[in-house]
Each structure stands twice: as structure tokens, then as C-alpha cells.
Amino acid sequence: MISTVAAPIGLALVGPLAAQTGNAETLLIAAAMIVIPCGLTPLVPGIRAVRRTSDGRITGPAPKQTVQV
């Protein structure tokens, strides 16, 4: 749902940004907005803890239990 909302906003902002900074700079900014979060994803402990067992099952950290009052 977030991408559905963010796509029209990005399309509305990219035109004025390209007019002000130029096409090459706009493409570099867009590339950074993709590469940086993708590069930071492996730093999340829950993602680093995912493993595949010898029989092919995928295991990960146990989900946190919530206490209901």
C-alpha cells in the first residue's frame, strides 16, 4: 500500500527536481534512494539470522511473544 501512495508522489516530484538539478543528478538521487536501503537490509539482525538447514527447511529467529492483558 505504501508503494501505491508513494509512486504518484514520486512522479509529481521528479519533474521539478529534474528541471532544477538536471537529469543526471536526478537519476543519481533515484539510484541512491534504491541502493542505500537495499545495502542496509542485511544489517537487520532478524534477516541475518535466517538459515537453511541441511534438509532444505528455512529457519529464523523465533517470533516475539506478546503478552495480552
Side-chain angles (χ1 to χ4, degrees):
M1 186 169 151
I2 292 173
S3 64
T4 304
V5 173
I9 294 171
L11 291 172
L13 294 176
V14 75
L17 179 65
Q20 193 171 38
T21 63
N23 290 340
E25 290 81 7
T26 303
L27 288 173
L28 288 173
I29 292 168
M33 291 178 67
I34 294 170
V35 170
I36 292 171
C38 289
L40 294 176
T41 300
L43 299 178
V44 177
I47 292 175
R48 284 196 326 260
V50 175
R51 301 285 184 259
R52 185 178 296 272
T53 61
S54 59
D55 63 349
R57 289 183 301 123
I58 297 175
T59 62
K64 294 183 180 181
Q65 300 292 329
T66 58
V67 179
Q68 295 182 0
V69 179

